[in-house]
């Protein structure tokens, strides 16, 4: 029997020195020629509705205010919300080099499928391969220019699109977003273990809707249950954690498109830690 008939085509786990042996092939997509992105950070969650886009926006704004050139790649193709949070209404345009990202008033560059649709409410009814292909195009066809930190707002879970981002983009680390419910602790584990399997560092965990602070007495009320963020971080050996409270002012800022103007220090330590966590710029 010829060797090729027993071949699993997984050269990385095979010790045979056959004629058909191939070196492991990189799945990384080439960036646009006009793009120079130093660090890529994925914002992930094991389930939807925990505030991934919120954390992405707050982190990008925080790093921009620290003097870095930041960008957001909205990989949540079927549920894009980043442009609205920043009050961006104009559609994306292109030139001979590729697609030009939109910019917030403080200079954060953004690309989202909503910048390409005729109406913001038009649904994207695509199967997984098309969605994954669009994410790759946001990397390879968009002229990002000089970017110190790119934050990728991923769809929830461990399916096609997160896997595409992890394999196609040079991701330097991820931030996991969760909420206080105990069930979410199990879901966080799935996201963390996926990153570990793909050898991507987990930089921190953010617990959104962690508590409500009374505006009168400033006492914290854990209305969605006790916090598990420290416990989860210790379990998975993650050094940095942060908590975002339930805050009506924050919700209003997102609705009116002024998230960049919102002042809060909830993610300040995480933003500080991202720099050495990604090896600096």
């Amino acid at each position: 029997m010829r060797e090729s008939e027993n071949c699993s085509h997984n050269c990385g786990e095979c010790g045979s020195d056959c004629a058909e042996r191939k070196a492991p092939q990189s799945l990384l997509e080439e960036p646009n020629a006009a793009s120079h992105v130093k660090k890529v950070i994925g914002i992930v969650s094991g389930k939807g509705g925990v505030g991934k886009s919120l954390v992405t926006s707050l982190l990008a704004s925080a790093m921009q205010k620290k003097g870095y050139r930041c960008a957001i790649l909205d990989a949540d193709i079927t549920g894009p919300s980043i442009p609205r949070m920043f009050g961006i209404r104009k559609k994306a345009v292109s030139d001979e080099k590729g697609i030009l990202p939109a910019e917030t008033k403080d200079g954060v560059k953004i690309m989202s499928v909503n910048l390409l649709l005729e109406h913001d409410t038009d649904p994207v009814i695509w199967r997984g391969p098309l969605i994954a292909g669009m994410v790759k195009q946001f990397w390879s066809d968009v002229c990002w220019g000089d970017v110190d930190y790119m934050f990728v707002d991923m769809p929830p879970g461990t399916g096609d699109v997160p896997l595409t981002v992890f394999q196609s983009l040079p991701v330097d680390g991820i931030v996991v977003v969760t909420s206080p419910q105990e069930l979410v602790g199990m879901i966080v584990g799935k996201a963390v273990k996926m990153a570990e399997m793909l050898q991507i560092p987990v930089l921190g965990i953010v617990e959104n809707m962690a508590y409500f602070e009374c505006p009168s007495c400033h006492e914290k009320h854990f209305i969605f249950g006790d916090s598990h963020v420290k416990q989860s971080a210790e379990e998975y050996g993650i050094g940095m954690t942060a908590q975002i409270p339930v805050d009506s002012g924050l919700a209003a800022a997102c609705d009116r498109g002024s998230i960049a103007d919102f002042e809060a220090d909830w993610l300040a330590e995480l933003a500080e830690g991202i720099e050495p966590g990604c090896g600096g710029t």
Side-chain angles (χ1 to χ4, degrees):
M1 184 179 291
R2 292 182 305 167
E3 191 137 14
S4 61
E5 293 178 1
N6 289 325
C7 182
S8 67
H9 303 289
N10 188 350
C11 298
E13 296 180 359
C14 177
S16 299
D17 188 18
C18 65
E20 298 180 12
R21 183 175 181 82
K22 297 179 180 178
Q25 299 296 307
S26 173
L27 298 176
L28 290 176
E29 291 286 318
E30 288 292 327
N32 185 281
S35 299
H36 307 282
V37 181
K38 293 181 179 178
K39 300 294 177 183
V40 178
I41 301 172
I43 312 298
V44 309
S45 67
K47 65 185 295 293
V50 296
K52 219 171 5 60
S53 299
L54 171 66
V55 171
T56 302
S57 301
L58 289 174
L59 274 178
S61 293
M63 296 298 281
Q64 187 80 11
K65 289 171 183 175
K66 286 164 67 69
Y68 293 105
R69 296 163 296 187
C70 295
I72 298 176
L73 190 158
D74 190 354
D76 196 351
I77 303 298
T78 60
S81 57
I82 295 294
R84 179 171 180 175
M85 285 189 175
F86 286 94
I88 295 175
R89 298 286 186 265
K90 293 182 179 180
K91 300 303 177 184
V93 296
S94 62
D95 61 15
E96 67 280 358
K97 295 180 180 178
I99 304 170
L100 304 178
E103 284 196 30
T104 67
K105 63 182 182 180
D106 59 344
V108 176
K109 297 178 180 180
I110 291 176
M111 179 48 61
S112 170
V113 73
N114 261 12
L115 301 178
L116 303 174
L117 300 175
E118 184 177 357
H119 303 105
D120 289 350
T121 55
D122 290 345
V124 177
I125 308 174
W126 296 349
R127 296 191 183 276
L130 281 177
I131 295 174
M134 175 63 77
V135 172
K136 291 180 182 180
Q137 285 185 283
F138 282 175
W139 176 253
S140 61
D141 293 359
V142 174
C143 305
W144 290 104
D146 294 322
V147 173
D148 294 316
Y149 288 95
M150 173 180 284
F151 296 89
V152 183
D153 183 14
M154 296 201 209
T158 56
D160 282 351
V161 178
L163 182 60
T164 295
V165 172
F166 286 153
Q167 292 184 330
S168 303
L169 276 62
V171 179
D172 295 281
I174 67 167
V175 173
V176 180
V177 183
T178 181
S179 60
Q181 294 90 333
E182 189 170 353
L183 172 64
V184 178
M186 175 192 70
I187 311 256
V188 166
K190 292 181 183 291
V192 171
K193 288 178 181 178
M194 179 182 186
E196 290 175 349
M197 291 172 67
L198 296 169
Q199 300 181 326
I200 297 173
V202 181
L203 304 176
I205 301 180
V206 177
E207 185 178 58
N208 188 31
M209 301 176 285
Y211 57 89
F212 170 75
E213 183 174 332
C214 175
S216 300
C217 67
H218 301 290
E219 182 179 352
K220 293 180 180 179
H221 301 274
F222 297 89
I223 56 179
F224 292 117
D226 293 335
S227 171
H228 297 279
V229 66
K230 296 287 187 184
Q231 178 183 339
S232 295
E234 289 176 5
E235 181 179 355
Y236 297 108
I238 300 167
M240 293 187 294
T241 63
Q243 291 180 305
I244 298 176
V246 176
D247 187 290
S248 59
L250 177 59
C254 292
D255 287 342
R256 64 174 176 262
S258 58
I259 188 70
D261 298 328
F262 191 82
E263 296 292 338
D265 60 357
W266 304 314
L267 302 183
E269 290 186 15
L270 180 59
E272 289 284 343
I274 279 176
E275 299 169 80
C278 282
T281 58

